[in-house]
Amino acid sequence: MQFRLLKDKVLSKIMLLLTILSVSVVVVIGIGLYYKSVPVLSNSSWWHLLTSREWKPLKGLFGFFPFIMGTLWVTGIAIIIALPLCLLSSFYITEYAPHRVRKILVPFVNLLSGIPPVIFGVWGVLFIIPLIQNHIAPHFVEFST
């Protein structure tokens, strides 16, 4: 009985140490990013950085508006495509699919939901973009990026 309590205390302290370590790493990264961005923040206001369209880092012009709008557009389009598809798929699987089909589809859906979105992004960058760039786009245009 005593060994179990001792093991519990030791592992509790180790988990506390690992938690403090991981939070410290995030704080150190934030402090490093802040100190690296001080020159840019001292030359420009936050409003100018967020609303400017010019991105010329070698000239000291940093405008984040195109990046912010690109993120919002991609997110909006992804939601417009994914939301109906996901909802209709879930309705079909839970309400209408025969038992045999449900037994096949549920593990696949669970597998896909367990994969982080970053992995899908990396897969797209490494496989989908070269596929389109090298094999599909040349049939439609002379040059594509």
Side-chain angles (χ1 to χ4, degrees):
M1 190 69 159
Q2 290 292 342
F3 181 69
R4 187 175 61 90
L5 292 174
L6 178 66
K7 190 168 60 171
D8 187 46
K9 284 183 181 181
V10 169
L11 288 176
S12 173
K13 299 298 181 192
I14 290 173
M15 288 300 139
L16 176 65
L17 181 69
L18 291 174
T19 302
I20 291 171
L21 180 69
S22 62
V23 170
S24 304
V25 167
V26 172
V27 169
V28 168
I29 288 172
I31 291 170
L33 286 173
Y34 175 75
Y35 281 118
K36 291 287 185 176
S37 64
V38 165
V40 173
L41 294 174
S42 65
N43 292 338
S44 301
S45 69
W46 278 95
W47 182 253
H48 182 264
L49 287 173
L50 293 176
T51 58
S52 175
R53 295 179 184 267
E54 287 187 275
W55 180 260
K56 297 177 183 170
L58 297 177
K59 292 184 178 181
L61 300 172
F62 301 95
F64 297 120
F65 187 73
F67 302 110
I68 294 169
M69 290 308 297
T71 301
L72 292 176
W73 273 105
V74 167
T75 303
I77 291 169
I79 289 172
I80 289 170
I81 292 171
L83 187 67
L85 183 66
C86 292
L87 282 176
L88 292 174
S89 298
S90 66
F91 289 155
Y92 173 75
I93 291 171
T94 58
E95 299 294 332
Y96 300 110
H99 183 68
R100 287 185 298 162
V101 174
R102 189 177 305 142
K103 277 179 69 175
I104 294 170
L105 289 178
V106 167
F108 283 118
V109 171
N110 289 338
L111 179 68
L112 288 174
S113 68
I115 298 172
V118 171
I119 301 300
F120 290 119
V122 169
W123 181 75
V125 167
L126 294 178
F127 295 104
I128 301 297
I129 290 176
L131 173 76
I132 292 172
Q133 190 175 29
N134 298 329
H135 300 290
I136 297 173
H139 296 291
F140 298 100
V141 293
E142 289 182 27
F143 176 74
S144 80
T145 59

